Amino acid sequence: MIKIGMIIGDRYEILEKIGTGGMSDVYKGKDHKLNRFVAVKVLKQEFSENANFVSKFRVEAQAAAGLMHPNIVNVYDVGEEADVYYIVMELVEGITLKKYIEKKARLSVKEAVSIAIQVSMGIESAHNNHIIHRDIKPQNIIISKEGKVKVTDFGIAKAATSNTITSNVMGSVHYTSPEQARGGYSDEKSDIYSLGITMFEMLTGRVPFNGETTVAIAIKHIQEELPSPRDYVPEIPISVEHIVCKCCQKSPDRRYQSMAELIVDLKQSLINPDEDFVKVIDPDEEASTRMITDRDMVQIKRQSDSRDSMEETMRLRRNSARYYEEDEDYEDEDDEDWDDDEEDYDPRMEKVTTILAVVAALLIGGIVIFFVGRTLGVFEMVAEEAEKPQEAVEQQVEMVNVVGMDVEEAKRELLELGLTPEIQYEVSTSNKAGTVLRTSVQDGIMVDMGSNVILTVAQETEGITVPSVTGKSQSEATSTLEKEGFVVNAVESYDASVESGYVISQSPEAGTTAPEGSSIIIRVSQGSEENKVRVPNVIGMTEMDATALLTESGIPVGNVTEEQNEDPALIDKVCYQSYSVGSYVEKGTPIDLRVSTGPAQGTYRYSDSITPPTEDAEYQSGMMVTVIVTAADGTTILNTQTNSFPVAANYTGIRSATGVITFTFTVERQETTTTDPETGEVVTIPGSSETKTVHRPITFVEE
């Protein structure tokens, strides 16, 4: 029996209970040997008494202890003590995927795919070690506070046979594969099915099959087709829909055959979400019986004759002496073969052979013409002409309407299209400063990618003259512009004529005016195009989604910090990236991110004299009173005891506008004696003590 405070295994102190499941309870513990906190999973008593289950549990838990992967809750130790069977695991501070889905109703596609990739990588590591989970579900997936996804409960799931599945673990039936529901053999592809159901729930906020009993749900897994997740959330991309459907095929042979295959498609869906690249193989169709054609018969006979001829040649070389001795039998067999060939002769064969000879001659002639034409350059000219219109189409984009937008938002829109924004300012009293007044290209017009688009932006005053930085190094240009009070946005592009690291052009141009604090775009040369990647836009994404997109682009994430941002829509989302959208960087160049904590909050001060709690009639001067001042956000500003009022208070930097003063004091009542005037009976009322509390709302003054 586990109790709080006890030590098991001579090293693990049980501190508190943090969870419970169908077969085990989980406690927070401390490993006194390594001085670290751990999670201790203890088998429930009813399973500890089943020797068969305990034996399987011990074997599988020890196997799971050998798994080490960033996406698996690592097992540190396995043991037993006084009929208590336990597993010591990594303690992950976070919430289960199930609670995360309930909290958000459903997840975005990118977030769901990112989580699925991490889960798949953890399961793949287990499969490579010949360990099958058999109980993949959101309850067994933990998302840490840092956003890391980890799979837990390896080992216990495999030990849980049909004899141990009770009403306590009925939640698993929503994610069980058809072969598990039948009680049949299950393997790695059973985990793939369960992960597919988990992905369905992440994307839609619901499980595909539900029912009043576990049996009813299990039957649906076996018999009913999986509904499309797009029936519930139409914006789910087709590639993600097909990935889920392939994972959840009834036949294991039609699912992904390994986690590695699934990971490839999941990553591809992040890059090309609307592309139909998922292939579902029908083993029944692949192995179906089909009618053999005359052409097939010719090919088969040729292969058979060729193979027989080769075998005869090899036999003659190895056993010539024996064949000569048995020459009579050999001749008889040979005569029979020729007789069979004559009987099988088909006049159509000669016609087919003639046609094949003509086709072969035409092919040889075509090859000769090709090489002659290639030598003369004919095909290259034709190819160039054929490719020209296609390239022109591929390099053109449709201009979008950015008039009326904030200049920063407009720049992001254009950079995402592959266009280069250039800024010029114009004094305007009727428009908010920073608003795009007009553009050099009208919306709806097709323009070449990389084209410059001039944005005319409103400013309130004439502003500051922009210095010339073209031809300077990036660091010198940045320093020059920042000294004048401008913010620099560097956009990297290829230019073989300008040395790498030097400014090709600037916007606004030198000599024009721009408001102090406005952004100046400098195009910095990266030399000739080599191993470069284009920086995607991750502003407005969660840290997890941004990390997934950058990783897929070949760009690692550098430092991630938090900062205040005035846009409330960016709370808990990326509000800054260290390289501009659309710029080019070397593969492997880390990009720093900043995540918004929300708008900067105003601060308040509290400067007052706190008077005694006369709101309560029983308060008397000189009583000892505990005085606590608490802000609305829960921050304690003052906590003191006094019997002398008023109490001086002078505090600044308070984050909330309101608060409350709580007075706590004890009233001592003396014993009293009274006489009933009618009966003359003396009544004694014993003394008593009562703790009383008074709450006084207060409002702080803005600083």
Side-chain angles (χ1 to χ4, degrees):
M1 186 71 179
I2 291 292
K3 294 182 180 178
I4 304 300
M6 72 181 295
I7 294 179
I8 60 176
D10 296 326
R11 62 187 290 187
Y12 306 112
E13 180 183 0
I14 304 298
L15 300 178
E16 59 177 310
K17 189 173 184 178
I18 57 176
T20 186
M23 293 174 286
S24 58
D25 296 316
V26 184
Y27 297 86
K28 181 179 180 180
K30 185 172 184 181
D31 182 354
H32 286 282
K33 247 182 202 181
L34 298 177
N35 193 29
R36 65 181 175 185
F37 291 105
V38 294
V40 182
K41 179 163 287 191
V42 180
L43 218 57
K44 287 186 176 180
Q45 190 66 30
E46 58 264 36
F47 299 108
S48 299
E49 294 172 355
N50 186 323
N52 184 41
F53 177 79
V54 168
S55 174
K56 292 181 180 180
F57 163 74
R58 187 185 291 113
V59 171
E60 294 305 324
Q62 288 171 349
L67 291 176
M68 293 295 290
H69 191 274
N71 297 116
I72 290 177
V73 176
N74 295 307
V75 176
Y76 297 144
D77 194 8
V78 180
E80 61 178 280
E81 187 172 301
D83 293 332
V84 173
Y85 299 89
Y86 63 88
I87 301 176
V88 182
M89 304 183 300
E90 171 188 4
L91 180 65
V92 181
E93 298 286 351
I95 63 173
T96 65
L97 178 57
K98 185 71 173 179
K99 290 183 179 177
Y100 189 62
I101 295 171
E102 291 171 351
K103 180 181 176 183
K104 298 191 71 173
R106 62 182 176 84
L107 309 187
S108 68
V109 173
K110 286 187 177 179
E111 190 172 25
V113 172
S114 299
I115 291 173
I117 289 172
Q118 294 189 58
V119 172
S120 299
M121 291 171 71
I123 300 173
E124 180 189 28
S125 174
H127 288 178
N128 290 340
N129 285 274
H130 310 292
I131 294 177
I132 305 166
H133 194 291
R134 286 181 170 82
D135 196 22
I136 295 295
K137 57 185 178 180
Q139 294 91 327
N140 286 338
I141 298 167
I142 300 176
I143 303 175
S144 71
K145 290 181 178 178
E146 296 78 26
K148 198 72 177 175
V149 180
K150 291 178 176 281
V151 184
T152 187
D153 266 4
F154 279 92
I156 288 182
K158 186 169 182 180
T161 63
S162 57
N163 295 327
T164 65
I165 297 177
T166 66
S167 59
N168 294 330
V169 290
M170 64 177 295
S172 299
V173 78
H174 289 97
Y175 311 93
T176 193
S177 65
E179 59 268 25
Q180 286 174 292
R182 293 189 189 97
Y185 173 77
S186 59
D187 58 8
E188 290 86 350
K189 292 184 282 293
S190 301
D191 285 348
I192 292 174
Y193 182 95
S194 299
L195 179 56
I197 301 294
T198 301
M199 290 175 61
F200 187 102
E201 185 174 1
M202 284 194 286
L203 293 164
T204 65
R206 52 170 291 159
V207 290
F209 302 120
N210 222 328
E212 296 182 357
T213 65
T214 56
V215 174
I217 299 170
I219 290 173
K220 288 183 178 181
H221 277 289
I222 297 170
Q223 295 181 348
E224 293 188 9
E225 287 300 318
L226 184 86
S228 168
R230 297 181 76 183
D231 292 343
Y232 305 102
V233 184
E235 58 265 29
I236 293 174
I238 187 171
S239 64
V240 177
E241 176 197 26
H242 288 178
I243 288 171
V244 173
C245 292
K246 184 172 180 178
C247 287
C248 299
Q249 291 291 315
K250 302 299 181 190
S251 169
D253 293 334
R254 298 188 67 184
R255 299 174 203 155
Y256 289 98
Q257 298 303 292
S258 68
M259 280 294 172
E261 290 182 15
L262 173 57
I263 292 169
V264 169
D265 276 5
L266 286 171
K267 289 183 176 180
Q268 179 72 6
S269 72
L270 286 175
I271 303 171
N272 301 307
D274 297 317
E275 185 178 326
D276 185 10
F277 55 81
V278 180
K279 305 299 180 186
V280 179
I281 298 173
D282 188 345
D284 297 332
E285 184 177 320
E286 290 287 317
S288 60
T289 303
R290 60 187 178 89
M291 185 70 71
I292 192 165
T293 64
D294 292 339
R295 185 173 182 178
D296 293 333
M297 278 297 299
V298 172
Q299 187 66 22
I300 292 169
K301 187 164 184 62
R302 282 180 178 174
Q303 291 176 354
S304 176
D305 290 344
S306 175
R307 183 171 58 251
D308 291 345
S309 176
M310 184 176 291
E311 288 174 355
E312 288 299 322
T313 302
M314 294 300 293
R315 281 188 294 174
L316 283 171
R317 287 180 178 177
R318 291 194 305 264
N319 305 307
S320 56
R322 183 167 58 85
Y323 273 102
Y324 282 126
E325 291 173 2
E326 299 173 359
D327 187 62
E328 185 177 350
D329 294 337
Y330 179 81
E331 287 178 358
D332 291 341
E333 291 174 3
D334 196 38
D335 290 340
E336 290 175 11
D337 288 342
W338 278 108
D339 291 341
D340 290 342
D341 285 346
E342 289 175 1
E343 291 173 4
D344 292 342
Y345 174 74
D346 189 340
R348 286 180 297 176
M349 293 293 293
E350 186 175 356
K351 184 178 180 181
V352 170
T353 304
T354 304
I355 293 172
L356 288 174
V358 173
V359 170
L362 291 173
L363 284 173
I364 293 170
I367 293 171
V368 171
I369 293 171
F370 171 78
F371 280 108
V372 171
R374 185 174 181 181
T375 304
L376 297 175
V378 174
F379 293 117
E380 290 180 4
M381 289 187 289
V382 173
E384 286 177 5
E385 291 299 319
E387 288 175 3
K388 278 182 181 178
Q390 183 180 358
E391 288 177 359
V393 172
E394 289 178 352
Q395 292 180 354
Q396 285 199 324
V397 292
E398 182 180 351
M399 177 63 185
V400 294
N401 183 16
V402 295
V403 175
M405 286 187 182
D406 179 77
V407 62
E408 295 300 324
E409 184 181 356
K411 285 194 297 184
R412 284 200 297 267
E413 290 272 355
L414 295 180
L415 288 168
E416 284 181 357
L417 287 175
L419 302 176
T420 303
E422 292 191 0
I423 313 297
Q424 64 181 24
Y425 287 92
E426 181 180 292
V427 176
S428 174
T429 56
S430 59
N431 292 277
K432 181 181 176 183
T435 303
V436 177
L437 301 177
R438 57 184 176 274
T439 62
S440 61
V441 180
Q442 187 178 354
D443 58 290
I445 301 297
M446 300 300 294
V447 292
D448 292 338
M449 286 186 66
S451 299
N452 295 345
V453 177
I454 300 173
L455 305 179
T456 303
V457 181
Q459 67 177 31
E460 295 176 349
T461 60
E462 285 296 334
I464 305 168
T465 301
V466 179
S468 174
V469 295
T470 301
K472 295 183 178 181
S473 67
Q474 182 177 354
S475 58
E476 184 183 358
T478 301
S479 175
T480 301
L481 292 170
E482 288 181 345
K483 281 181 182 178
E484 297 295 329
F486 297 113
V487 176
V488 179
N489 282 344
V491 178
E492 296 173 344
S493 60
Y494 299 117
D495 193 322
S497 63
V498 179
E499 184 181 349
S500 178
Y502 283 77
V503 177
I504 303 168
S505 62
Q506 64 183 83
S507 177
E509 295 179 354
T512 60
T513 60
E516 182 179 358
S518 61
S519 296
I520 306 295
I521 299 174
I522 58 173
R523 290 180 61 233
V524 181
S525 173
Q526 293 296 292
S528 60
E529 184 173 0
E530 293 175 354
N531 188 26
K532 305 283 185 177
V533 291
R534 187 181 178 91
V535 177
N537 182 21
V538 297
I539 303 296
M541 293 185 178
T542 64
E543 182 185 343
M544 184 180 295
D545 288 346
T547 301
L549 180 57
L550 289 171
T551 302
E552 290 305 315
S553 302
I555 304 171
V557 175
N559 297 322
V560 180
T561 56
E562 294 183 344
E563 71 172 14
Q564 294 177 340
N565 187 282
E566 294 304 314
D567 188 351
L570 291 177
I571 295 177
D572 294 330
K573 295 179 180 177
V574 176
C575 60
Y576 167 85
Q577 58 188 77
S578 58
Y579 283 85
S580 299
V581 177
S583 60
Y584 289 86
V585 297
E586 294 277 356
K587 280 188 177 180
T589 302
I591 290 185
D592 297 336
L593 304 177
R594 295 178 194 165
V595 178
S596 171
T597 57
Q601 295 181 346
T603 57
Y604 302 84
R605 60 183 173 83
Y606 178 50
S607 181
D608 201 358
S609 295
I610 302 174
T611 57
T614 54
E615 294 92 333
D616 192 301
E618 289 192 276
Y619 168 77
Q620 295 181 7
S621 179
M623 284 184 173
M624 184 62 69
V625 181
T626 299
V627 182
I628 300 175
V629 180
T630 308
D633 63 359
T635 304
T636 299
I637 298 169
L638 172 66
N639 188 339
T640 186
Q641 285 188 326
T642 184
N643 57 4
S644 176
F645 287 93
V647 176
N650 189 15
Y651 298 93
T652 59
I654 302 168
R655 296 286 183 180
S656 300
T658 59
V660 64
I661 305 175
T662 303
F663 302 93
T664 305
F665 56 90
T666 302
V667 176
E668 300 287 349
R669 300 185 181 92
Q670 302 295 324
E671 181 180 297
T672 58
T673 302
T674 59
T675 302
D676 191 325
E678 295 181 1
T679 62
E681 181 181 359
V682 177
V683 179
T684 301
I685 301 175
S688 63
S689 176
E690 181 182 357
T691 299
K692 309 198 76 175
T693 302
V694 174
H695 298 285
R696 181 185 299 168
I698 52 174
T699 301
F700 304 127
V701 179
E702 188 172 2
E703 291 184 315

